[in-house]
Amino acid sequence: MSLDWCPGIREACAHWRDAPMLQQTFEALERTLEQDNDACIDCAKSVVEAVCRVVVESFHTQQAPLRPTQETPSLSDWLSAAVRALKLGDVRDEKFKKLVSSHHKLADALNELRNKAGPASHGKDPYLERLAAHHRRTAVLAADAIVAFLHKAYLDAQLDPISSREPWERFAADNALIDAHVGLAVDAEDGDAPTLRFLLPGGDELPINIEVSRLLYLLDRDAYVEALNAARGVATSAVASADPQGAPA
């Protein structure tokens, strides 16, 4: 079976390539798909759950807890938590709510199929017949639909830079705002990133060009947010000054 059956899973796993367990599960899915092995159902279900957990952990805080409270959360519990984290149910459109609900039904069906036929989940009857190819394809397509749905919504969501595991590049708009308004007291040519100069033994220098936003994001997330808020204040004031007639009376 070709990996063309799970483009959404492949894209999500490429995005979270620094998540070792997710990558290991995806590698197992690749192998079992190529081998027409029913264990691809176990792997597909595990990928969905892993993606749900990535999403939930990205938004969970003590002030706004999102992790399932069950002792052993089911796939449906994790999916519900991910949907809440992404606020996918916070819409008035009933048709869209039904669409979201349909993904829960897919998750339940995938979980049941995995429990009944997944050879890697529980001990099964040794003489149980293998599933047909279309059964495996259906399971993988269901998992792919759920993962793609969550991943695309995640990419559009506003993340918290303090707790996010996303790379600096994920916050491109915020980075540009910081770099436009926040300076660094080091050598810098017009339009270029500031240059930090590290003194080596013997008097030699090691210059490193780096954006202010990148430096703050990598070293001090709280300072990054403080700089972002300050930059937003400057930008807002500039807009108000440019259009004094725009403010309400």
Side-chain angles (χ1 to χ4, degrees), residues 56-67 160 163:
V56 171
E57 293 298 337
S58 297
F59 296 92
H60 174 89
T61 64
Q62 291 185 342
Q63 295 73 27
L66 290 165
R67 297 189 193 113
D160 182 356
S163 58

Side-chain angles (χ1 to χ4, degrees), residues 140-219:
V140 173
L141 285 170
D144 193 72
I146 298 169
V147 168
F149 179 61
L150 294 176
H151 182 225
K152 294 300 184 182
Y154 175 87
L155 293 178
D156 291 336
Q158 182 67 41
L159 302 179
D160 182 356
I162 288 182
S163 58
S164 176
R165 292 185 175 181
E166 291 289 291
W168 167 80
E169 291 82 1
R170 176 68 164 79
F171 299 89
D174 292 341
N175 297 336
L177 192 59
I178 291 174
D179 294 334
H181 296 287
V182 179
L184 187 62
V186 293
D187 296 340
E189 299 293 336
D190 291 341
D192 293 337
T195 300
L196 300 179
R197 299 187 181 279
F198 295 89
L199 301 179
L200 301 178
D204 292 334
E205 292 185 351
L206 177 64
I208 297 179
N209 295 328
I210 187 169
E211 299 85 349
V212 174
S213 60
R214 188 193 297 266
L215 183 65
L216 292 176
Y217 190 81
L218 294 177
L219 297 182

Side-chain angles (χ1 to χ4, degrees), residues 16-87:
W16 287 303
R17 54 187 173 274
D18 60 340
M21 183 56 69
L22 177 61
Q23 295 305 315
Q24 185 172 229
T25 307
F26 179 57
E27 291 167 5
L29 176 61
E30 286 184 305
R31 290 194 300 271
T32 52
L33 276 172
E34 292 171 356
Q35 298 165 356
D36 285 335
N37 190 319
D38 289 351
C40 67
I41 298 172
D42 302 272
C43 297
K45 181 264 182 184
S46 296
V47 167
V48 173
E49 184 170 328
V51 167
C52 287
R53 294 175 72 119
V54 170
V55 170
V56 171
E57 293 298 337
S58 297
F59 296 92
H60 174 89
T61 64
Q62 291 185 342
Q63 295 73 27
L66 290 165
R67 297 189 193 113
T69 56
Q70 296 83 350
E71 184 175 349
T72 307
S74 66
L75 177 60
S76 182
D77 295 329
W78 280 110
L79 179 57
S80 295
V83 167
R84 290 197 305 275
L86 295 169
K87 297 181 171 60

